Amino acid sequence: MKIKLCHLYPDLLDLYGDRGNILTLEARARWRGLDFEVQNVSLGERIDFHSLDILFLGGGSDREQSILVADLMGRVEELKAAIEDGLVVLSICGGYQLLGQYYQTTEGRRIPGLGILDLWTVAGANRLTGNVVVNLEIEELTEASSNTLSTLVGFENHSGRTYLGSELKSLGKVIHGHGNNGEDQGEGMRYKNVFGTYLHGPLLPKNPHFADMLLRLAMERGGGAKNLVPLDDRLEILAHETVVDRILSKQKKV
Ligand code: GLN
């Protein structure tokens, strides 16, 4: 089976190593003998959402978000239909914010979002930065993975505070860091096969269980095998657990 991923606006939405997420998905697919194709699509370029398995939207600054929003709006109906049809989407920070109703800047200007998801973002006076550990609350995660990790680790740097409508679920609860808004302990969101998160770093190399869940959802939707061949994740697990241990032991000392 071939997995087709589109990196939308790679020239505008790619902060703090976000592209590493694509490299991780590609490597984990190829190690299992699966074909993997990456399409880079930017402003004005054509894209067929229905032919895709995974869409990747990275992070971007307020400036970059306002440059691309008009172009993205032109694609909203097609993207919405693909999402309803189960397209797997990984959206990080600025990309995650863009899927919602609006992003209100510190000056009070509202950049309209795609309005696909019931969430909205309001920029605060200070930035929420630092390492994050999240206790994941996603059922498919344990089924998908060949390891037993149940946390998500990464690094956040955003001024936007994101709030979820009552129908949307977060990815889990923040054990350390700020997450969506620094108030309700929620981090990220999930709707169907769409995942949003504030975690950069990039996210997937240190969270192989999350990467495999995305691959598995994409394969399942494409009619491919449900189970992924287990990989030797000792290095990835060590990286993940080292971050968790360091952060949580520091937290205890404070
Ligand atoms: N505009 C966003 C914010 O600062 C995006 C930041 C990001 O993608 N890292 O909240």
Side-chain angles (χ1 to χ4, degrees):
M1 182 187 169
K2 184 190 220 170
I3 298 179
K4 266 173 110 182
L5 176 144
C6 170
H7 186 178
L8 200 48
Y9 312 117
D11 45 347
L12 295 165
L13 294 182
D14 180 17
L15 272 182
Y16 316 128
D18 283 339
R19 202 173 70 86
N21 294 312
I22 299 173
L23 300 180
T24 302
L25 289 170
E26 176 161 11
R28 296 184 73 82
R30 289 200 189 280
W31 287 335
R32 292 170 162 122
L34 301 163
D35 239 354
F36 198 91
E37 184 189 314
V38 179
Q39 290 180 359
N40 290 313
V41 175
S42 196
L43 299 172
E45 289 171 0
R46 263 205 55 74
I47 171 176
D48 175 11
F49 287 111
H50 288 285
S51 70
L52 295 178
D53 299 300
I54 305 178
L55 175 70
F56 179 72
L57 282 165
S61 67
D62 294 6
R63 188 181 150 270
E64 283 144 356
Q65 281 171 267
S66 35
I67 293 175
L68 61 85
V69 77
D71 186 88
L72 198 52
M73 284 294 193
R75 309 177 191 263
V76 69
E77 287 313 321
E78 225 195 308
L79 176 57
K80 211 188 238 171
I83 284 176
E84 289 306 315
D85 187 48
L87 176 66
V88 175
V89 180
L90 176 62
S91 61
I92 313 279
C93 200
Y96 164 36
Q97 295 168 349
L98 279 164
L99 292 171
Q101 309 294 344
Y102 61 83
Y103 178 84
Q104 184 171 306
T105 65
T106 32
E107 299 80 40
R109 192 166 58 90
R110 277 192 185 180
I111 306 173
L114 290 178
I116 295 178
L117 301 175
D118 187 20
L119 59 91
W120 57 96
T121 306
V122 179
N126 62 322
R127 297 191 73 77
L128 306 178
T129 54
N131 292 314
V132 187
V133 182
V134 180
N135 237 343
L136 284 170
E137 293 164 0
I138 303 176
E139 275 166 34
E140 285 100 323
L141 201 71
T142 37
E143 296 164 27
S145 172
S146 48
N147 61 58
T148 55
L149 297 173
S150 60
T151 42
L152 202 63
V153 297
F155 157 79
E156 63 183 334
N157 183 357
H158 52 111
S159 73
R161 273 77 169 155
T162 296
Y163 300 90
L164 306 183
S166 54
E167 301 289 297
L168 282 187
K169 271 187 70 123
S170 67
L171 297 179
K173 293 259 172 304
V174 171
I175 315 176
H176 181 90
H178 305 280
N180 281 339
N181 49 50
E183 294 162 31
D184 60 18
Q185 280 191 291
E187 158 50 30
M189 77 78 222
R190 176 187 188 171
Y191 171 74
K192 294 202 170 201
N193 286 340
V194 183
F195 298 85
T197 176
Y198 270 112
L199 303 194
H200 295 274
L203 172 77
L204 298 181
K206 287 200 263 329
N207 295 291
H209 51 330
F210 202 80
D212 279 359
M213 180 191 64
L214 299 175
L215 286 176
R216 189 181 133 150
L217 289 170
M219 284 170 61
E220 239 179 288
R221 175 173 176 257
K226 236 179 137 190
N227 293 319
L228 293 172
V229 179
L231 295 175
D232 177 0
D233 278 340
R234 277 175 295 178
L235 195 60
E236 289 81 356
I237 292 172
L238 182 65
H240 181 104
E241 288 179 342
T242 304
V243 179
V244 175
D245 290 348
R246 290 230 172 116
I247 293 173
L248 298 186
S249 66
K250 233 192 223 165
Q251 203 177 30
K252 273 187 215 141
K253 279 183 209 147
V254 179

